Amino acid sequence: MTSFRCFRVFTILAVGSFVLLNGNSASASVELGDDVGEITLIDARGKELAVTPTKERAAAAFLFLSGRSEAVDQSLEAISTLYRKHRRLGVVYIGVCSNNAESAEELAEYARDRGLIFTIYRDPTGTLSQKLDISTIPSVALVDGTGKLVHRGGLESRAGQLAFDAAVVNGIKPKFEGAVVTPSPLAPTEQKQKLHDKYGAISFSSELLFERIPGASVYHCSTITEAANADLLCLWYGGSYESADDQTLFLSRRPAGERTWGKPQALISGPDPLPGNGVIFVDGHERVWIIWCRMEYTRPLGRGQGWDNCRLMSRVSTDHGFTWSKDSEFLDAKLRAVPRNPPVRLASGDLVLPLEANVDGVAGSIFLIGADGGKQWRRGGFTNGGNQPAVIQRNDKSLFSMMRHAPRITQIESSDGGETWTKATPSALRCPDSGITMTRLANGHVVAVFNDSELARTPLSIVRSVDEGRTWETPFHLESNPGEYSYPCIIQTGDGKIHVTFTFRRYSIKHVELNEDWLIHTERPN
């Protein structure tokens, strides 16, 4: 088919708040409701592009623009807002410039600079603007899916923009995938629907457990648990510096139903014995455990030394942590290990406690198995693929563990309850060689807290997985200021709330309480 073209030279003349397109043509313009016919534009390569009706789009909006018009510039924000709405209805925006003086390179640079998300094609002879009777810019011609002209008008005013929007919304039917919804009568006979509270209600609070503790300067490595009476118990160490002679394990309690943490209580103080990391948890018989490591190196220790020669110790409480048994050596004397994360309770009732360990001179992670809810303990599997592991159980009863390792957190799996483990592989989560934590929520979702960096212990981020740790959503930052925010511990309490404690600049321990909705809904529809 031979298409008719009329050749004319266009110039751009600024008149008030819009621009006039001038030229001579012998072609008659298309009226509203008429078929537009063949439309030919010039792409960035200088080649002709034929635009025809297609099932791939509900309509095409030809926007007549110029990169040299103040009126266009002043209208672009409104045009972009309309496009974000209209593209969901299947409408494609096609930029058209009928000014022969503007090259494809100039128009492309203009579009990139203004952040446009549609292409501006050239109509250098003005054929299309004449055909559609466009004489000012910014203007639009809306062609429906059958090729008929259904709207044209200016976009320099709010009235023109509203008229265009009405033409799209009222005249274009959205494209749907799948079955068509059957309408209901005005008075349905079905029962009232149960609402699911789609947007929920977010909950978030945070506080420091203390400001100062007499006799101690720096604090680190907290863990948290919920006692059987619903009290929260938080354990950490503090002293003049890491590995100092006065290093002490402290405990603080937040009684059930209250918002304030109690005065920190010194449980175990150096130098004899010299306590390191401790983990607090509740076993399958409502007993509260503290498993801690006794630093066995010859004193005095340098700052941060002594972690590779630690003997495991334990104490147990049967009254929710108010009184304790005497400390005793835990498991065999040959094991050198450091606790970091609480154990996971398996569907069988057994506990699996993840530990950083040194076994036969090899550094890595070991998993201790507490049969019958923690009544009898023994060694499980060992891996050298990372340290300070956190572990969960999946629906298929397999175990999934992530470990501290730079520059990426590593991950392993076990299909036999922690007796053996797969070879460690890198995960998608970054790590600056700092502690991590992870827990499985009551609904099966998994939440992890880690430093989302390869270099620094900030930011401290929380991230959710809805497929048991196989993939992760976009992390949220709990802390992002300069400083150290590290060594988190995470649990979910019986009321469904998520609790995280972590080192806050080594000045204190911080507690954050939130719900899962806080991780899902970033903004309430408004």
Side-chain angles (χ1 to χ4, degrees):
M1 183 179 81
T2 302
S3 61
F4 177 79
R5 280 188 177 70
C6 48
F7 297 87
R8 57 183 180 149
V9 178
F10 276 75
T11 58
I12 300 226
L13 301 176
V15 179
S17 62
F18 58 91
V19 174
L20 292 178
L21 297 175
N22 288 303
N24 297 313
S25 173
S27 177
S29 61
V30 176
E31 298 297 328
L32 289 174
D34 290 348
D35 286 326
V36 171
E38 181 179 313
I39 294 175
T40 304
L41 297 170
I42 306 300
D43 67 16
R45 302 168 299 175
K47 295 186 177 181
E48 292 187 352
L49 174 68
V51 183
T52 57
T54 171
K55 294 180 179 179
E56 296 175 356
R57 53 178 174 258
F62 294 87
L63 285 93
F64 290 81
L65 310 170
S66 167
R68 303 181 184 183
S69 165
E70 183 178 355
V72 170
D73 262 346
Q74 293 174 350
S75 306
L76 282 182
E77 183 175 353
I79 291 172
S80 295
T81 299
L82 287 171
Y83 189 35
R84 286 193 292 271
K85 175 183 179 181
H86 294 166
R87 68 185 182 87
R88 299 182 183 279
L89 299 175
V91 179
V92 174
Y93 278 28
I94 301 171
V96 180
C97 179
S98 297
N99 181 24
N100 187 46
E102 294 179 65
S103 66
E105 292 77 13
E106 179 182 346
L107 292 171
E109 184 177 1
Y110 175 80
R112 288 192 297 268
D113 184 70
R114 297 301 191 269
L116 301 184
I117 55 174
F118 56 84
T119 301
I120 303 177
Y121 295 93
R122 299 180 71 235
D123 176 35
T125 63
T127 305
L128 183 59
S129 60
Q130 175 66 21
K131 184 176 187 178
L132 297 180
D133 197 22
I134 301 296
S135 59
T136 64
I137 56 174
S139 290
V140 63
L142 183 65
V143 179
D144 69 13
T146 67
K148 290 183 172 58
L149 180 65
V150 294
H151 174 82
R152 67 174 158 222
L155 292 173
E156 73 279 359
S157 67
R158 180 62 175 157
Q161 295 157 12
L162 290 174
F164 170 45
D165 183 45
V168 171
V169 173
N170 298 328
I172 304 300
K173 296 181 179 179
K175 298 172 64 179
F176 293 98
E177 297 288 342
V180 176
V181 178
T182 302
S184 300
L186 289 175
T189 57
E190 292 85 355
Q191 293 183 356
K192 181 180 178 180
Q193 292 190 60
K194 182 180 179 181
L195 301 180
H196 299 288
D197 194 16
K198 180 179 179 180
Y199 295 103
I202 63 173
S203 173
F204 185 94
S205 63
S206 65
E207 70 281 340
L208 298 179
L209 270 65
F210 56 89
E211 291 185 1
R212 290 180 179 270
I213 300 177
S217 303
V218 298
Y219 314 93
H220 195 38
C221 197
S222 64
T223 58
I224 185 173
T225 195
E226 181 185 31
N229 67 346
D231 287 358
L232 291 179
L233 303 174
C234 184
L235 180 77
W236 68 94
Y237 73 73
S240 296
Y241 55 88
E242 186 175 319
S243 306
D245 282 357
D246 60 2
Q247 191 156 280
T248 299
L249 276 177
F250 294 96
L251 179 71
S252 184
R253 178 186 301 269
R254 196 185 84 170
E258 297 187 13
R259 303 294 300 176
T260 304
W261 291 87
K263 180 180 178 181
Q265 173 190 2
L267 292 183
I268 306 162
S269 297
D272 187 20
L274 185 62
N277 291 12
V279 61
I280 189 168
F281 63 91
V282 176
D283 69 8
H285 306 281
E286 299 188 346
R287 299 178 300 174
V288 182
W289 285 69
I290 293 177
I291 294 181
W292 58 281
C293 62
R294 185 178 68 197
M295 306 180 80
E296 302 280 79
Y297 264 81
T298 303
R299 295 174 35 243
L301 294 175
R303 187 272 174 202
Q305 293 182 344
W307 295 112
D308 56 348
N309 187 16
C310 290
R311 177 75 172 89
L312 289 179
M313 306 290 292
S314 69
R315 58 169 56 190
V316 179
S317 172
T318 57
D319 60 1
H320 315 303
F322 288 101
T323 62
W324 298 90
S325 66
K326 292 183 178 181
D327 293 299
S328 59
E329 294 184 341
F330 181 69
L331 215 58
D332 61 82
K334 294 182 179 180
L335 180 62
R336 291 294 179 264
V338 176
R340 172 75 279 270
N341 278 298
V344 60
R345 187 180 304 175
L346 306 186
S348 64
D350 291 351
L351 303 181
V352 174
L353 175 65
L355 300 168
E356 176 181 357
N358 193 305
V359 176
D360 299 327
V362 179
S365 296
I366 196 169
F367 298 82
L368 305 186
I369 299 173
D372 190 15
K375 285 187 175 181
Q376 295 180 327
W377 291 90
R378 59 182 173 83
R379 291 194 191 193
F382 173 81
T383 177
N384 63 355
N387 56 50
Q388 297 182 357
V391 62
I392 62 157
Q393 186 174 40
R394 288 172 167 165
N395 284 333
D396 63 1
K397 304 299 188 294
S398 67
L399 302 185
F400 172 68
S401 176
M402 295 202 303
M403 298 175 289
R404 168 182 175 173
H405 189 278
R408 289 290 188 274
I409 293 172
T410 51
Q411 57 190 25
I412 53 177
E413 298 178 12
S414 173
S415 59
D416 55 12
E419 301 285 357
T420 60
W421 294 87
T422 60
K423 184 178 179 179
T425 58
S427 74
L429 304 181
R430 298 190 292 180
C431 181
D433 196 20
S434 185
I436 65 167
T437 190
M438 174 176 61
T439 194
R440 178 189 169 107
L441 304 182
N443 62 5
H445 297 163
V446 178
V447 181
V449 184
F450 67 110
N451 289 117
D452 189 14
S453 169
E454 294 181 0
L455 301 175
R457 291 183 173 183
T458 184
L460 184 70
S461 304
I462 184 169
V463 65
R464 187 180 75 147
S465 170
V466 296
D467 57 7
E468 300 182 305
R470 294 175 177 87
T471 61
W472 299 93
E473 297 173 343
T474 301
F476 283 61
H477 295 332
L478 295 176
E479 299 284 352
S480 58
N481 286 322
E484 178 182 351
Y485 311 97
S486 65
Y487 275 64
C489 181
I490 186 171
I491 63 169
Q492 185 182 36
T493 48
D495 60 0
K497 293 294 181 66
I498 300 168
H499 298 262
V500 182
T501 61
F502 56 90
T503 298
F504 187 84
R505 304 180 186 175
R506 301 262 178 162
Y507 273 87
S508 186
I509 301 299
K510 191 170 187 178
H511 167 250
V512 172
E513 179 179 335
L514 55 101
N515 64 356
E516 191 176 3
D517 281 340
W518 188 85
L519 292 170
I520 303 170
H521 304 299
T522 58
E523 184 176 0
R524 184 82 185 187
N526 179 30

